[in-house]
Amino acid sequence: ATNGGLVSFSRYRPLTSYRIQYPGGFSWPTSLYMLDRCALEQRFRMSANRELVLVNTHNTAYDASGEIKKQEMAFIRNRYQQEAGKGSYVLLGGDWNQPPPGFQQRPDENIPPGYTAQTLADESLPKGFIPVFDSLSHTNRALLAPYIAGKTFTTLIDYFITSPNVRILRVSTLDMQFRWSDHQPVMLTVACN
């Protein structure tokens, strides 16, 4: 058996921390070797009796039709639109396995076989939510061969989506030349006031 999951670290203790199973999934036998996609939702007490809802997500990959991704995004849209309606600060981030709205893949990229780019549609987002990403840097690379800068296929699938009451101060991708992973870390600085 293989155990896997998501983890978020904080110097502050969350009020709650739990795994949320996303709807949808692959049919048998494909479901035997595909991950059960989920999010880790943590809640933190803020001033004025509000909460920060911090969500670490890992959405479905290898969904050529896009149907599973649509189910996941409908779930996310409904759940976190309600949270924002309560006045909560909502910050969703992680590996969305789809480029953010407005992202354009460079036409000179050698797209690997089997890769289906399905850009996240604006209407998939909770109302008023904002995609936040570093448009100058890609965050994911193909694993078909060792990484060669400028030659290996790269794209942007790791980013944040925030409720309208979260103020974005800075976002940047840390260019580590994919030394430790097929993903690059993305740093976000926000203010909730």
Side-chain angles (χ1 to χ4, degrees):
T2 302
N3 293 320
L6 299 171
V7 65
S8 296
F9 298 98
S10 172
R11 71 176 67 153
Y12 304 102
R13 185 180 202 100
L15 298 169
T16 62
S17 182
Y18 56 93
R19 178 186 185 276
I20 297 172
Q21 176 67 42
Y22 284 141
F26 293 94
S27 60
W28 194 89
T30 306
S31 62
L32 293 174
Y33 53 88
M34 294 304 256
L35 297 173
D36 290 331
R37 300 301 176 148
C38 65
L40 175 61
E41 182 184 277
Q42 296 178 303
R43 294 172 177 272
F44 297 87
R45 174 85 52 221
M46 302 293 284
S47 61
N49 214 21
R50 290 187 176 183
E51 289 183 353
L52 168 65
V53 181
L54 183 64
V55 181
N56 180 350
T57 187
H58 192 188
N59 294 61
T60 294
Y62 311 109
D63 176 21
S65 72
E67 287 307 309
I68 298 171
K69 290 177 183 176
K70 286 178 188 172
Q71 291 175 43
E72 291 171 354
M73 290 310 300
F75 175 86
I76 289 167
R77 183 180 58 247
N78 293 334
R79 183 178 184 94
Y80 297 110
Q81 196 164 297
Q82 287 179 9
E83 279 299 331
K86 296 178 198 173
S88 298
Y89 302 103
V90 182
L91 181 58
L92 303 114
D95 178 355
W96 296 90
N97 272 310
Q98 51 194 331
F103 173 77
Q104 296 292 318
Q105 189 70 47
R106 292 190 298 251
D108 60 337
E109 290 278 346
N110 296 323
I111 297 175
Y115 177 76
T116 306
Q118 298 163 338
T119 302
L120 182 62
D122 279 319
E123 58 270 11
S124 296
L125 300 176
K127 186 177 181 185
F129 278 51
I130 304 154
V132 182
F133 55 94
D134 179 354
S135 62
L136 301 177
S137 301
H138 286 185
T139 63
N140 179 248
R141 75 169 186 96
L143 290 173
L144 301 174
Y147 177 71
I148 300 170
K151 185 175 179 185
T152 302
F153 172 78
T154 61
T155 191
L156 194 156
I157 60 174
D158 305 279
Y159 52 95
F160 297 90
I161 297 173
T162 69
S163 57
N165 58 351
V166 174
R167 190 161 43 102
I168 310 306
L169 302 177
R170 183 171 184 256
V171 64
S172 62
T173 300
L174 304 179
D175 185 1
M176 304 183 102
Q177 295 292 300
F178 299 99
R179 183 172 180 184
W180 309 108
S181 171
D182 61 327
H183 292 263
Q184 303 266 52
V186 181
M187 272 182 75
L188 177 67
T189 306
V190 300
C192 298
N193 47 344

